[in-house]
Amino acid sequence: MQIESGVSLRPYNTFGLPAVAHTLVRIGSDADVRRVVDHPELGRAPKFVLGGGSNIVLTRDMPQVVLKVEVRGLRLVATRGDAWVVEAGAGESWHDLVAWTLAQDLPGLENLALIPGTVGAAPVQNIGAYGIELKDRFESLDAVDLVTGRSVTLGPEICAFGYRDSVFKHALAGRSVITRVRLRLPRPWQPVLGYLDLERKMKESATAAPSPQQVFDWVCAIRRAKLPDPAVVGNAGSFFKNPVVTPEQCRDIIGRDPAIVHYPMPDGSVKLAAGWLIDACGWKGKSIGRAGVYERQALVLVNRGGAIGSEVMTLARAIQESVYGRFGIRLEPEPVVV
Ligand SMILES: Cc1cc2nc3c(=O)[nH]c(=O)nc-3n(C[C@H](O)[C@H](O)[C@H](O)COP(=O)(O)OP(=O)(O)OC[C@H]3O[C@@H](n4cnc5c(N)ncnc54)[C@H](O)[C@@H]3O)c2cc1C
């Protein structure tokens, strides 16, 4: 366990926002979490668990003890008739895990390629892309309770996954450090290609049966064309969740805006494309101060250079107000505002 003071968090958040952690502890194992819990001063202090900082907006310096999760390890733990089970340390890069599984001939995560951040944060918001969510591949995870120091293994029922949601945003918010995640990769492998962009790639390549590596390459190419690389332009990916409305609300909006992009959900509700709503309000490419709306995707807010967290939040609130004013819909931010 390594304890550091006065640490700049700018390199540790993909928005590139300035903030200083009063105390930062690097966590390499379950035992490190227990050492923090049992520590005479750190034990009682409020804590914030940090992964790769790709889903947070830092608006101020952090008086909390920042626990930077750096638990390592990638391994195949079981080969069953219907699935392989792999285990990854929470501090591993999510994308590196996806690439490693493919290199080991263990396909199933390719649609989730190039999502920034760590393995440990993936269950927190049930990451998803191109037709797959973490919950579709989830087996179990290990976590350490930040009050008792006890290690637990949690299955999918307790994690209560939903759309960009889980128990770690509710009953267990700020309560536990996820240290390892196990993923279940179904055998035999079946490609998931229902998404429009992937269907287009299939047609372009004239391939009837793509390999997992091909799907991985397509997903990476699609994402690189659409989303800004945080190493070049600070951002936290999609800034707002896609709002889910009742069919009646959707009909009402279609009546006024027939072009609205919407997706019927299996439970009868309708998901609206938040990016479309923001674009329709004229925000694409606009800025407030040093925070702006990405030119190629209105759902992504970017740091135009030297922005601070409050500028990002001022822009976010202005967007929320105009979308509410025009459509009567409240957009909910996806990143955690700290
Ligand atoms: C360019 C870009 C594209 C993106 N695309 C997608 C996408 O397609 N789909 C998607 O779902 N997301 C996407 N995201 C969002 C982000 O990548 C994911 O939410 C990712 O899982 C966050 O990981 P992180 O390690 O950076 O978490 P952080 O930002 O560090 O933390 C996020 C939250 O998780 C908590 N947390 C982190 N690690 C742990 C842990 N070990 N134990 C307990 N709590 C923890 C934190 O306290 C915080 O509340 C994108 C982001 C960017 C910048």
Side-chain angles (χ1 to χ4, degrees):
M1 181 175 82
Q2 223 180 307
I3 305 175
E4 295 162 44
S5 306
V7 179
S8 166
L9 295 176
R10 200 197 288 265
Y12 297 143
N13 74 99
T14 59
F15 239 123
L17 300 171
V20 172
H22 184 263
T23 308
L24 183 140
V25 183
R26 292 178 195 273
I27 299 292
S29 64
D30 290 34
D32 278 350
V33 185
R34 276 191 289 280
R35 280 185 202 108
V36 171
V37 172
D38 294 339
H39 191 278
E41 286 140 43
L42 302 183
R44 272 176 283 130
K47 298 172 189 70
F48 181 80
V49 184
L50 180 65
S54 65
N55 208 30
I56 56 173
V57 182
L58 296 174
T59 60
R60 58 187 169 85
D61 290 342
M62 297 192 67
Q64 305 96 314
V65 175
V66 174
L67 303 179
K68 185 157 186 326
V69 180
E70 298 184 346
V71 181
R72 299 274 172 240
L74 296 170
R75 63 188 185 119
L76 173 68
V77 288
T79 301
R80 302 197 295 244
D82 62 344
W84 298 281
V85 180
V86 294
E87 181 185 88
E92 295 287 349
S93 137
W94 173 265
H95 177 73
D96 289 353
L97 163 67
V98 176
W100 176 83
T101 53
L102 284 187
Q104 308 301 308
D105 241 340
L106 304 169
L109 296 178
E110 51 288 334
N111 293 49
L112 300 175
L114 224 56
I115 298 181
T118 57
V119 167
V124 175
Q125 76 147 0
N126 180 28
I127 57 167
Y130 299 100
I132 295 191
E133 288 184 328
L134 178 98
K135 73 172 171 55
D136 304 322
R137 299 288 182 263
F138 182 78
E139 173 87 2
S140 63
L141 60 78
D142 297 337
V144 186
D145 189 291
L146 275 171
V147 176
T148 62
R150 265 189 39 218
S151 290
V152 286
T153 296
L154 307 178
E157 322 72 40
I158 299 210
C159 293
F161 295 118
Y163 167 57
R164 300 294 178 273
D165 202 22
S166 74
V167 70
F168 302 102
K169 287 189 167 186
H170 302 281
L172 293 182
R175 215 15 237 262
S176 32
V177 180
I178 296 166
T179 50
R180 270 172 303 280
V181 179
R182 280 169 292 277
L183 299 157
R184 183 187 171 282
L185 310 177
R187 300 172 68 186
W189 175 75
Q190 300 275 357
V192 177
L193 300 166
Y195 246 69
L196 193 64
D197 288 334
L198 285 173
E199 277 172 11
R200 251 187 232 135
K201 288 277 181 198
M202 279 271 285
K203 282 201 190 107
E204 277 166 27
S205 72
T207 312
S211 68
Q213 185 64 44
Q214 242 166 341
V215 178
F216 174 90
D217 291 341
W218 289 341
V219 168
C220 291
I222 295 165
R223 293 183 67 99
R224 286 198 174 104
K226 270 193 177 172
L227 294 166
D229 177 355
V232 181
V233 181
N235 76 95
S238 304
F239 199 90
F240 297 102
K241 293 184 189 180
N242 289 320
V244 177
V245 298
T246 63
E248 295 74 40
Q249 280 174 303
C250 187
R251 270 196 295 277
D252 178 49
I253 297 170
I254 289 172
R256 288 177 283 136
D257 284 278
I260 189 163
V261 177
H262 61 286
Y263 310 95
M265 302 295 284
D267 65 358
S269 61
V270 184
K271 198 187 269 186
L272 306 179
W276 188 92
L277 299 171
I278 298 166
D279 199 6
C281 292
W283 278 103
K284 203 186 262 179
K286 297 269 168 63
S287 298
I288 291 186
R290 292 164 291 183
V293 180
Y294 189 51
E295 286 71 13
R296 279 188 262 165
Q297 168 56 275
L299 195 49
V300 178
L301 303 194
V302 294
N303 183 345
R304 300 235 186 259
I308 57 173
S310 58
E311 282 174 296
V312 174
M313 292 315 295
T314 300
L315 173 63
R317 275 190 290 273
I319 292 171
Q320 282 171 315
E321 276 164 29
S322 54
V323 168
Y324 186 73
R326 173 153 173 197
F327 298 103
I329 289 169
R330 284 189 199 285
L331 290 181
E332 202 187 316
E334 191 180 294
V336 180
V337 181
V338 190

